[in-house]
Amino acid sequence: MGACLALCSLASCASCLCGSAPCLLCGCCPSSNNSTITRLVFSLFLLMGTMVSVIMILPGMETELRKIPGFCQGGASVVGIDNVANCDALVGYKSVYRMCFAMTCFFFLFSAIMIRVRSSKDPRAAIQNGFWFFKFLILVGITVGAFFIPDGSFHTVWFYFGVVGSFIFIIIQLILLIDFAHSWNKVWVGNAENSDNKCWFAGLLSFTFLFFALAITAVVLFYVYYTQPEDCTEHKVFISLNLIFCIIVSIVSILPKIQEAQPHSGLLQASIISLYTMYVTWSAMTNNPNRKCNPSLLSLVSNVSTTEPSGDSTPGQVQWWDAQGIVGLIIFLFCTLYASIRSSSNTQVNKLMQTEEGGGSGGEGVVGEDGICRAMDNEEEGVTYSYSFFHFHLCLASLYIMMTLTNWYQPDTTTQAMQSSMPAVWVKMSSSWLGLGLYLWTLIAPLIFPDRDFN
């Protein structure tokens, strides 16, 4: 009897893993829409790959990773290069590159397959919304194959792919943060006006003050620890410019004409954008190869000078976990989850992210003839988001994770070392300026084009 029940349970699981609807999460959220669950499961794939990448760079994992053919020879040096670089400092870096390469290929494959899917009636929609077991096998297969890619120039070339992809993803992150800030402000102001409860306004004011205070504190700390009286000119320019730009967008957001065109525009959005801009500025400065201008957080806490490298420092030795990387992962997790469940009321954001207004609203679960609760198919008349663009977004997210976990270090094929590089600094700073420009455009666009719908 028990064996029969086990077989029935296995059969029901197989129908979820191989069927055409994502019933994997229906036990937790039976009233969810088909489109929402699909995005959550694909995001779960990305998060699982991220966890594996994190595990690969943990101390002690290099012992196991050295067993992979071609990674290390004898555990002392890189293959073909003796007494140049410590293998322990490189195997984690190589593993993260290969794991993220596999995830990028996986999501890019689905992005290409799902081009121009219009509704769930398209046969390709069944692939998008089901067959999770086979998708998992495909991801595992690509990952295994990635670990057998010869070194050569792979890391150098893939580094530049990561830089470009991460630049685009940072912009998408900022767009999602702007959308979240507008939605947050709109909901709380609406609650305050409808209920006549001033606590909502007090909450908005408190968070706005907190975010601005954190941003100003960051600027002060940047000037103290990341600049020198006779050096670090780039850092002084970066901090000053971004401070000025943040002040400009904050003032513009509360101008009377802007308020008339966009009643929900306010300082809350400006404070979130300002704080995020300061994070990107900090992240950029931590990639400056000039150690006088880039002290490690550990040295700041322990008051140990890192302006001169120690005599026993090992080439290629890096600090995997730092504060800006951890903050970056937290922001990444938030944006990934928000992108999976978001339902924006902003028309322009929906056009940019290729989603439909109200696409994330919940429905009622459907119980099939086999008694299994399945998600409601809310895309029979038309998809609520672009399948192809969603996978492209996860593809860029994989590249961003790769760069974040490796601290944006550039591989040096000559010495087989990992080094900070100025290109990473300029990419991050450029993304912060472009992001501020996009936010400023969302403020002034309704004035320039009054006949268009920017709600």
Side-chain angles (χ1 to χ4, degrees):
M1 184 66 180
C4 292
L5 292 175
L7 289 175
C8 292
S9 176
L10 183 61
S12 64
C13 290
S15 66
C16 279
L17 292 173
C18 306
S20 59
C23 57
L24 292 174
L25 299 180
C26 286
C28 300
C29 44
S31 62
S32 297
N33 286 330
N34 202 23
S35 58
T36 303
I37 294 181
T38 296
R39 284 180 286 177
L40 285 173
V41 177
F42 272 114
S43 298
L44 181 62
F45 275 35
L46 177 65
L47 296 181
M48 286 192 300
T50 303
M51 291 177 60
V52 173
S53 300
V54 171
I55 293 174
M56 287 178 175
I57 62 176
L58 291 177
M61 283 302 297
E62 67 274 0
T63 304
E64 299 299 324
L65 293 173
R66 281 201 297 260
K67 298 178 182 178
I68 300 176
F71 256 44
C72 287
Q73 191 175 32
S77 62
V78 178
V79 177
I81 301 180
D82 298 327
N83 302 321
V84 174
N86 188 346
C87 183
D88 293 349
L90 292 173
V91 290
Y93 146 81
K94 291 184 175 184
S95 302
V96 170
Y97 263 47
R98 282 161 168 76
M99 183 68 218
C100 293
F101 172 81
M103 290 194 298
T104 303
C105 292
F106 175 78
F107 291 120
F108 183 80
L109 173 65
F110 278 93
S111 178
I113 293 175
M114 297 300 164
I115 292 177
R116 299 183 67 85
V117 174
R118 300 303 186 187
S119 69
S120 60
K121 297 177 182 179
D122 191 307
R124 291 174 294 172
I127 301 176
Q128 168 77 3
N129 298 320
F131 303 100
W132 300 105
F133 178 70
F134 298 106
K135 293 175 184 175
F136 180 75
L137 289 182
I138 292 173
L139 178 58
V140 172
I142 298 176
T143 303
V144 173
F147 276 84
F148 289 92
I149 298 176
D151 281 344
S153 59
F154 168 75
H155 301 100
T156 302
V157 173
W158 198 240
F159 167 80
Y160 289 104
F161 272 93
V163 168
V164 175
S166 299
F167 172 80
I168 301 173
F169 184 77
I170 290 175
I171 301 302
I172 294 178
Q173 273 195 151
L174 186 56
I175 293 172
L176 292 174
L177 286 175
I178 293 174
D179 181 47
F180 170 75
H182 278 295
S183 300
W184 182 4
N185 186 77
K186 182 178 180 180
V187 171
W188 280 31
V189 169
N191 290 340
E193 293 175 349
N194 296 332
S195 63
D196 199 22
N197 189 344
K198 302 304 180 182
C199 291
W200 295 104
F201 285 120
L204 285 175
L205 182 61
S206 299
F207 278 106
T208 301
F209 176 80
L210 174 63
F211 295 149
F212 272 129
L214 291 175
I216 294 173
T217 302
V219 171
V220 174
L221 294 177
F222 294 163
Y223 277 119
V224 172
Y225 294 108
Y226 288 91
T227 62
Q228 298 292 333
E230 305 296 333
D231 201 355
C232 310
T233 304
E234 299 94 339
H235 287 189
K236 296 174 184 176
V237 173
F238 293 157
I239 299 170
S240 301
L241 280 179
N242 278 356
L243 175 61
I244 294 173
F245 292 156
C246 289
I247 293 175
I248 291 175
V249 297
S250 299
I251 294 175
V252 171
S253 66
I254 57 175
L255 292 177
K257 289 187 177 181
I258 298 296
Q259 291 291 313
E260 292 177 5
Q262 294 200 59
H264 296 289
S265 174
L267 289 177
L268 176 65
Q269 297 93 314
S271 66
I272 294 177
I273 300 308
S274 298
L275 184 58
Y276 180 76
T277 300
M278 291 306 152
Y279 157 72
V280 176
T281 305
W282 174 39
S283 179
M285 293 188 298
T286 58
N287 281 110
N288 192 332
N290 185 356
R291 299 304 299 175
K292 292 183 179 180
C293 306
N294 179 19
S296 65
L297 185 64
L298 180 61
S299 67
L300 297 179
V301 174
S302 58
N303 292 324
V304 177
S305 175
T306 59
T307 57
E308 295 295 335
S310 59
D312 57 348
S313 61
T314 304
Q317 185 174 0
V318 298
Q319 178 185 355
W320 289 110
W321 293 103
D322 59 0
Q324 68 90 9
I326 295 175
V327 174
L329 284 178
I330 294 174
I331 297 176
F332 157 79
L333 293 175
F334 168 79
C335 290
T336 301
L337 179 62
Y338 183 67
S340 300
I341 63 177
R342 66 178 292 278
S343 175
S344 177
S345 59
N346 188 288
T347 305
Q348 298 303 312
V349 172
N350 284 326
K351 288 181 180 179
L352 185 62
M353 300 300 294
Q354 299 191 29
T355 56
E356 297 292 338
E357 182 175 352
S361 59
E364 294 183 357
V366 178
V367 180
E369 296 179 357
D370 53 2
I372 300 176
C373 185
R374 304 183 187 278
M376 182 187 71
D377 185 0
N378 62 324
E379 298 180 311
E380 291 183 353
E381 301 299 327
V383 296
T384 60
Y385 66 101
S386 170
Y387 291 175
S388 181
F389 183 83
F390 176 73
H391 288 294
F392 181 69
H393 168 253
L394 296 183
C395 177
L396 298 176
S398 302
L399 294 173
Y400 176 79
I401 282 298
M402 178 184 75
M403 301 305 294
T404 300
L405 292 180
T406 58
N407 284 343
W408 291 69
Y409 282 108
Q410 183 174 10
D412 189 332
T413 56
T414 303
T415 62
Q416 293 295 315
M418 299 162 54
Q419 302 174 350
S420 299
S421 62
M422 286 306 294
V425 176
W426 286 106
V427 165
K428 293 182 179 181
M429 292 307 304
S430 299
S431 65
S432 70
W433 297 332
L434 182 57
L436 286 169
L438 285 175
Y439 176 62
L440 183 62
W441 172 253
T442 63
L443 297 176
I444 65 177
L447 296 179
I448 300 176
F449 301 102
D451 296 333
R452 295 187 182 181
D453 181 16
F454 289 95
N455 294 321

